[in-house]
Amino acid sequence: MKISFVIPVYNEEKGFLKFYNSLLLPELEKIKYDYEVILVNDGSKDKSLEVIQKLSDADKRIKVLSFSRNFGKEVALTAGIREAEGDGILTMDADGQQPPKLIHEFIKKWEEGGEIVIGVRGKYEKHGLIAKVGSKLFYAMLRAMGVKDTVPGSTDFRLIDRCVADEYNKLTEHGRITRGLMDWMGFKKVYIDYIYGNRLAGKPSYNFSKLFNLAIDSFISLSTTPLVIFAWVGGFITIASLILGIFVLIEEFAMGDPIGLKWTGTTCVSIFITFLIGLVMISQSVTALYVSHIHAEAQGRPLYIIDRKNSRNLKKEK
């Protein structure tokens, strides 16, 4: 039996050695199974690649999978899972915010039959109000859009069985949200609550813009509800406009404006046209997002490109 640890690395030069030597390695040494550590360098711009290459050169159980450029965390997780050879695969971040001391609890839940053991972020140590509210709003919107499989607070800190990894590796879409796809796949899920810690060093690579784009990708890739919403809104506006038009005709022309609203034809037409134009523009924007995803899939480009010259200890290409 073997456990694979998949850890995306992006600009973690300052804190990675502390994370690996002080937090992760002591827990790895307690594992009763063989293990491998797959460090996916996601186009780091600092010296992260050199740091993890030195670790790999000293320990052949550590693999370095280096991208030719930055492809994003979701793709990095996918590449690491595809490279993993373990019977169980545990994914986690490299910044120390997800506690390695819980690894043994994840393995225990897996041994007891959990095919997907998911870390659920319950509390924060020291995080801003915007981050907390944004996270809750994100999951609330997902559930409102019909994505019922994703538990609020669930993260990429999870252990999946080999059967899950094999099925996950068959998925080909480019606009992917790893946790969402795994939840969609089904399988037996088990949850572990944990306290979300602070970074050991550096600043988070996910700024507001990236988080916003991740949320958009989640909504688009996991649900068609936005399209349905605007269809219903369009129908509601049409019916409301019809009712309001009839009201204006009766109140203004049939009854002689007893309320004194002083409607004019130009005013009514202007309001309706302006409102409906805005509605059309919003609905077209949502449709365009779906079309852009279709375009990305139709291009047929590889999900990522491996820089094998700078990678270490990878399995041979088939």
Side-chain angles (χ1 to χ4, degrees), residues 256-279:
D257 194 17
I259 305 178
L261 296 177
K262 297 181 181 180
W263 292 94
T264 65
T266 302
T267 301
C268 295
V269 171
S270 299
I271 292 174
F272 290 151
I273 290 178
T274 302
F275 190 77
L276 292 176
I277 286 177
L279 180 66

PDB file of all heavy atoms in Angstrom, residues 256-279:
ATOM      1  N   GLY A 256     -58.840  58.565 -17.535  1.00  0.00           N
ATOM      2  CA  GLY A 256     -58.471  59.986 -17.481  1.00  0.00           C
ATOM      3  C   GLY A 256     -57.470  60.345 -16.399  1.00  0.00           C
ATOM      4  O   GLY A 256     -57.486  61.455 -15.869  1.00  0.00           O
ATOM      5  N   ASP A 257     -56.579  59.406 -16.034  1.00  0.00           N
ATOM      6  CA  ASP A 257     -55.513  59.640 -15.045  1.00  0.00           C
ATOM      7  C   ASP A 257     -56.055  60.137 -13.706  1.00  0.00           C
ATOM      8  O   ASP A 257     -55.700  61.229 -13.225  1.00  0.00           O
ATOM      9  CB  ASP A 257     -54.493  60.638 -15.596  1.00  0.00           C
ATOM     10  CG  ASP A 257     -53.207  60.671 -14.774  1.00  0.00           C
ATOM     11  OD1 ASP A 257     -52.975  59.719 -13.997  1.00  0.00           O
ATOM     12  OD2 ASP A 257     -52.446  61.651 -14.890  1.00  0.00           O
ATOM     13  N   PRO A 258     -56.927  59.338 -13.029  1.00  0.00           N
ATOM     14  CA  PRO A 258     -57.473  59.774 -11.734  1.00  0.00           C
ATOM     15  C   PRO A 258     -56.419  59.852 -10.633  1.00  0.00           C
ATOM     16  O   PRO A 258     -56.574  60.610  -9.669  1.00  0.00           O
ATOM     17  CB  PRO A 258     -58.522  58.699 -11.430  1.00  0.00           C
ATOM     18  CG  PRO A 258     -58.046  57.482 -12.150  1.00  0.00           C
ATOM     19  CD  PRO A 258     -57.430  58.004 -13.422  1.00  0.00           C
ATOM     20  N   ILE A 259     -55.361  59.102 -10.751  1.00  0.00           N
ATOM     21  CA  ILE A 259     -54.317  59.103  -9.721  1.00  0.00           C
ATOM     22  C   ILE A 259     -53.354  60.275  -9.921  1.00  0.00           C
ATOM     23  O   ILE A 259     -52.657  60.693  -9.010  1.00  0.00           O
ATOM     24  CB  ILE A 259     -53.542  57.768  -9.740  1.00  0.00           C
ATOM     25  CG1 ILE A 259     -54.511  56.595  -9.584  1.00  0.00           C
ATOM     26  CG2 ILE A 259     -52.501  57.714  -8.632  1.00  0.00           C
ATOM     27  CD1 ILE A 259     -53.844  55.239  -9.649  1.00  0.00           C
ATOM     28  N   GLY A 260     -53.326  60.819 -11.132  1.00  0.00           N
ATOM     29  CA  GLY A 260     -52.451  61.946 -11.421  1.00  0.00           C
ATOM     30  C   GLY A 260     -51.008  61.561 -11.679  1.00  0.00           C
ATOM     31  O   GLY A 260     -50.085  62.305 -11.344  1.00  0.00           O
ATOM     32  N   LEU A 261     -50.788  60.401 -12.260  1.00  0.00           N
ATOM     33  CA  LEU A 261     -49.417  59.956 -12.543  1.00  0.00           C
ATOM     34  C   LEU A 261     -48.820  60.658 -13.764  1.00  0.00           C
ATOM     35  O   LEU A 261     -47.609  60.724 -13.907  1.00  0.00           O
ATOM     36  CB  LEU A 261     -49.405  58.435 -12.768  1.00  0.00           C
ATOM     37  CG  LEU A 261     -49.811  57.587 -11.568  1.00  0.00           C
ATOM     38  CD1 LEU A 261     -49.839  56.108 -11.931  1.00  0.00           C
ATOM     39  CD2 LEU A 261     -48.867  57.809 -10.381  1.00  0.00           C
ATOM     40  N   LYS A 262     -49.671  61.158 -14.620  1.00  0.00           N
ATOM     41  CA  LYS A 262     -49.237  61.905 -15.802  1.00  0.00           C
ATOM     42  C   LYS A 262     -48.251  61.110 -16.662  1.00  0.00           C
ATOM     43  O   LYS A 262     -47.138  61.550 -16.969  1.00  0.00           O
ATOM     44  CB  LYS A 262     -48.614  63.241 -15.385  1.00  0.00           C
ATOM     45  CG  LYS A 262     -49.608  64.166 -14.680  1.00  0.00           C
ATOM     46  CD  LYS A 262     -48.961  65.477 -14.304  1.00  0.00           C
ATOM     47  CE  LYS A 262     -49.965  66.380 -13.586  1.00  0.00           C
ATOM     48  NZ  LYS A 262     -49.378  67.690 -13.189  1.00  0.00           N
ATOM     49  N   TRP A 263     -48.631  59.915 -17.000  1.00  0.00           N
ATOM     50  CA  TRP A 263     -47.809  59.078 -17.868  1.00  0.00           C
ATOM     51  C   TRP A 263     -47.757  59.684 -19.274  1.00  0.00           C
ATOM     52  O   TRP A 263     -48.735  60.218 -19.766  1.00  0.00           O
ATOM     53  CB  TRP A 263     -48.409  57.678 -17.980  1.00  0.00           C
ATOM     54  CG  TRP A 263     -48.351  56.878 -16.717  1.00  0.00           C
ATOM     55  CD1 TRP A 263     -49.320  56.771 -15.777  1.00  0.00           C
ATOM     56  CD2 TRP A 263     -47.271  56.081 -16.256  1.00  0.00           C
ATOM     57  NE1 TRP A 263     -48.945  55.953 -14.753  1.00  0.00           N
ATOM     58  CE2 TRP A 263     -47.675  55.504 -15.025  1.00  0.00           C
ATOM     59  CE3 TRP A 263     -45.999  55.792 -16.752  1.00  0.00           C
ATOM     60  CZ2 TRP A 263     -46.862  54.663 -14.288  1.00  0.00           C
ATOM     61  CZ3 TRP A 263     -45.181  54.946 -16.020  1.00  0.00           C
ATOM     62  CH2 TRP A 263     -45.608  54.392 -14.807  1.00  0.00           C
ATOM     63  N   THR A 264     -46.618  59.583 -19.887  1.00  0.00           N
ATOM     64  CA  THR A 264     -46.490  59.946 -21.300  1.00  0.00           C
ATOM     65  C   THR A 264     -45.981  58.736 -22.053  1.00  0.00           C
ATOM     66  O   THR A 264     -45.260  57.888 -21.489  1.00  0.00           O
ATOM     67  CB  THR A 264     -45.518  61.115 -21.498  1.00  0.00           C
ATOM     68  OG1 THR A 264     -44.198  60.715 -21.121  1.00  0.00           O
ATOM     69  CG2 THR A 264     -45.950  62.328 -20.685  1.00  0.00           C
ATOM     70  N   GLY A 265     -46.330  58.667 -23.314  1.00  0.00           N
ATOM     71  CA  GLY A 265     -45.891  57.527 -24.113  1.00  0.00           C
ATOM     72  C   GLY A 265     -44.393  57.436 -24.211  1.00  0.00           C
ATOM     73  O   GLY A 265     -43.806  56.351 -24.136  1.00  0.00           O
ATOM     74  N   THR A 266     -43.743  58.572 -24.344  1.00  0.00           N
ATOM     75  CA  THR A 266     -42.274  58.585 -24.455  1.00  0.00           C
ATOM     76  C   THR A 266     -41.616  58.053 -23.184  1.00  0.00           C
ATOM     77  O   THR A 266     -40.649  57.285 -23.233  1.00  0.00           O
ATOM     78  CB  THR A 266     -41.781  60.014 -24.735  1.00  0.00           C
ATOM     79  OG1 THR A 266     -42.394  60.503 -25.929  1.00  0.00           O
ATOM     80  CG2 THR A 266     -40.266  60.032 -24.891  1.00  0.00           C
ATOM     81  N   THR A 267     -42.159  58.466 -22.044  1.00  0.00           N
ATOM     82  CA  THR A 267     -41.594  58.004 -20.765  1.00  0.00           C
ATOM     83  C   THR A 267     -41.725  56.494 -20.618  1.00  0.00           C
ATOM     84  O   THR A 267     -40.765  55.800 -20.231  1.00  0.00           O
ATOM     85  CB  THR A 267     -42.323  58.691 -19.597  1.00  0.00           C
ATOM     86  OG1 THR A 267     -42.189  60.099 -19.712  1.00  0.00           O
ATOM     87  CG2 THR A 267     -41.751  58.229 -18.269  1.00  0.00           C
ATOM     88  N   CYS A 268     -42.892  55.979 -20.918  1.00  0.00           N
ATOM     89  CA  CYS A 268     -43.127  54.534 -20.788  1.00  0.00           C
ATOM     90  C   CYS A 268     -42.202  53.743 -21.705  1.00  0.00           C
ATOM     91  O   CYS A 268     -41.555  52.769 -21.291  1.00  0.00           O
ATOM     92  CB  CYS A 268     -44.583  54.214 -21.110  1.00  0.00           C
ATOM     93  SG  CYS A 268     -45.762  54.917 -19.946  1.00  0.00           S
ATOM     94  N   VAL A 269     -42.149  54.179 -22.950  1.00  0.00           N
ATOM     95  CA  VAL A 269     -41.313  53.466 -23.917  1.00  0.00           C
ATOM     96  C   VAL A 269     -39.843  53.515 -23.520  1.00  0.00           C
ATOM     97  O   VAL A 269     -39.111  52.528 -23.614  1.00  0.00           O
ATOM     98  CB  VAL A 269     -41.521  54.049 -25.326  1.00  0.00           C
ATOM     99  CG1 VAL A 269     -40.500  53.466 -26.304  1.00  0.00           C
ATOM    100  CG2 VAL A 269     -42.928  53.776 -25.826  1.00  0.00           C
ATOM    101  N   SER A 270     -39.388  54.675 -23.047  1.00  0.00           N
ATOM    102  CA  SER A 270     -37.982  54.832 -22.649  1.00  0.00           C
ATOM    103  C   SER A 270     -37.626  53.913 -21.491  1.00  0.00           C
ATOM    104  O   SER A 270     -36.565  53.276 -21.469  1.00  0.00           O
ATOM    105  CB  SER A 270     -37.704  56.288 -22.264  1.00  0.00           C
ATOM    106  OG  SER A 270     -37.928  57.150 -23.358  1.00  0.00           O
ATOM    107  N   ILE A 271     -38.530  53.864 -20.506  1.00  0.00           N
ATOM    108  CA  ILE A 271     -38.266  53.003 -19.341  1.00  0.00           C
ATOM    109  C   ILE A 271     -38.195  51.542 -19.758  1.00  0.00           C
ATOM    110  O   ILE A 271     -37.274  50.802 -19.375  1.00  0.00           O
ATOM    111  CB  ILE A 271     -39.359  53.205 -18.279  1.00  0.00           C
ATOM    112  CG1 ILE A 271     -39.264  54.610 -17.676  1.00  0.00           C
ATOM    113  CG2 ILE A 271     -39.229  52.153 -17.165  1.00  0.00           C
ATOM    114  CD1 ILE A 271     -40.396  54.955 -16.725  1.00  0.00           C
ATOM    115  N   PHE A 272     -39.154  51.095 -20.549  1.00  0.00           N
ATOM    116  CA  PHE A 272     -39.195  49.698 -20.960  1.00  0.00           C
ATOM    117  C   PHE A 272     -37.973  49.333 -21.791  1.00  0.00           C
ATOM    118  O   PHE A 272     -37.336  48.295 -21.580  1.00  0.00           O
ATOM    119  CB  PHE A 272     -40.473  49.413 -21.754  1.00  0.00           C
ATOM    120  CG  PHE A 272     -41.723  49.454 -20.913  1.00  0.00           C
ATOM    121  CD1 PHE A 272     -42.945  49.807 -21.474  1.00  0.00           C
ATOM    122  CD2 PHE A 272     -41.677  49.146 -19.564  1.00  0.00           C
ATOM    123  CE1 PHE A 272     -44.093  49.842 -20.707  1.00  0.00           C
ATOM    124  CE2 PHE A 272     -42.819  49.184 -18.786  1.00  0.00           C
ATOM    125  CZ  PHE A 272     -44.036  49.531 -19.353  1.00  0.00           C
ATOM    126  N   ILE A 273     -37.626  50.181 -22.744  1.00  0.00           N
ATOM    127  CA  ILE A 273     -36.504  49.874 -23.632  1.00  0.00           C
ATOM    128  C   ILE A 273     -35.193  49.832 -22.863  1.00  0.00           C
ATOM    129  O   ILE A 273     -34.379  48.917 -23.032  1.00  0.00           O
ATOM    130  CB  ILE A 273     -36.433  50.906 -24.778  1.00  0.00           C
ATOM    131  CG1 ILE A 273     -37.620  50.715 -25.731  1.00  0.00           C
ATOM    132  CG2 ILE A 273     -35.114  50.776 -25.535  1.00  0.00           C
ATOM    133  CD1 ILE A 273     -37.667  51.716 -26.868  1.00  0.00           C
ATOM    134  N   THR A 274     -34.983  50.828 -21.999  1.00  0.00           N
ATOM    135  CA  THR A 274     -33.735  50.866 -21.220  1.00  0.00           C
ATOM    136  C   THR A 274     -33.597  49.642 -20.331  1.00  0.00           C
ATOM    137  O   THR A 274     -32.529  49.013 -20.258  1.00  0.00           O
ATOM    138  CB  THR A 274     -33.696  52.136 -20.352  1.00  0.00           C
ATOM    139  OG1 THR A 274     -33.808  53.289 -21.193  1.00  0.00           O
ATOM    140  CG2 THR A 274     -32.394  52.215 -19.558  1.00  0.00           C
ATOM    141  N   PHE A 275     -34.683  49.294 -19.651  1.00  0.00           N
ATOM    142  CA  PHE A 275     -34.636  48.145 -18.746  1.00  0.00           C
ATOM    143  C   PHE A 275     -34.400  46.846 -19.497  1.00  0.00           C
ATOM    144  O   PHE A 275     -33.590  46.004 -19.095  1.00  0.00           O
ATOM    145  CB  PHE A 275     -35.935  48.078 -17.950  1.00  0.00           C
ATOM    146  CG  PHE A 275     -35.889  47.072 -16.829  1.00  0.00           C
ATOM    147  CD1 PHE A 275     -35.225  47.359 -15.659  1.00  0.00           C
ATOM    148  CD2 PHE A 275     -36.505  45.840 -16.963  1.00  0.00           C
ATOM    149  CE1 PHE A 275     -35.172  46.437 -14.628  1.00  0.00           C
ATOM    150  CE2 PHE A 275     -36.455  44.912 -15.943  1.00  0.00           C
ATOM    151  CZ  PHE A 275     -35.792  45.213 -14.762  1.00  0.00           C
ATOM    152  N   LEU A 276     -35.095  46.676 -20.602  1.00  0.00           N
ATOM    153  CA  LEU A 276     -34.975  45.436 -21.357  1.00  0.00           C
ATOM    154  C   LEU A 276     -33.623  45.318 -22.042  1.00  0.00           C
ATOM    155  O   LEU A 276     -33.073  44.215 -22.166  1.00  0.00           O
ATOM    156  CB  LEU A 276     -36.108  45.335 -22.382  1.00  0.00           C
ATOM    157  CG  LEU A 276     -37.513  45.160 -21.786  1.00  0.00           C
ATOM    158  CD1 LEU A 276     -38.569  45.176 -22.885  1.00  0.00           C
ATOM    159  CD2 LEU A 276     -37.603  43.865 -20.997  1.00  0.00           C
ATOM    160  N   ILE A 277     -33.057  46.451 -22.459  1.00  0.00           N
ATOM    161  CA  ILE A 277     -31.719  46.412 -23.048  1.00  0.00           C
ATOM    162  C   ILE A 277     -30.702  45.942 -22.005  1.00  0.00           C
ATOM    163  O   ILE A 277     -29.824  45.125 -22.288  1.00  0.00           O
ATOM    164  CB  ILE A 277     -31.330  47.794 -23.603  1.00  0.00           C
ATOM    165  CG1 ILE A 277     -32.095  48.074 -24.896  1.00  0.00           C
ATOM    166  CG2 ILE A 277     -29.823  47.874 -23.863  1.00  0.00           C
ATOM    167  CD1 ILE A 277     -31.838  49.441 -25.478  1.00  0.00           C
ATOM    168  N   GLY A 278     -30.812  46.457 -20.784  1.00  0.00           N
ATOM    169  CA  GLY A 278     -29.909  46.016 -19.718  1.00  0.00           C
ATOM    170  C   GLY A 278     -30.049  44.540 -19.433  1.00  0.00           C
ATOM    171  O   GLY A 278     -29.058  43.826 -19.239  1.00  0.00           O
ATOM    172  N   LEU A 279     -31.296  44.049 -19.424  1.00  0.00           N
ATOM    173  CA  LEU A 279     -31.544  42.628 -19.182  1.00  0.00           C
ATOM    174  C   LEU A 279     -30.931  41.768 -20.279  1.00  0.00           C
ATOM    175  O   LEU A 279     -30.297  40.740 -20.006  1.00  0.00           O
ATOM    176  CB  LEU A 279     -33.051  42.381 -19.097  1.00  0.00           C
ATOM    177  CG  LEU A 279     -33.480  40.932 -18.843  1.00  0.00           C
ATOM    178  CD1 LEU A 279     -33.019  40.495 -17.463  1.00  0.00           C
ATOM    179  CD2 LEU A 279     -34.987  40.795 -18.971  1.00  0.00           C
TER     180      LEU A 279
END
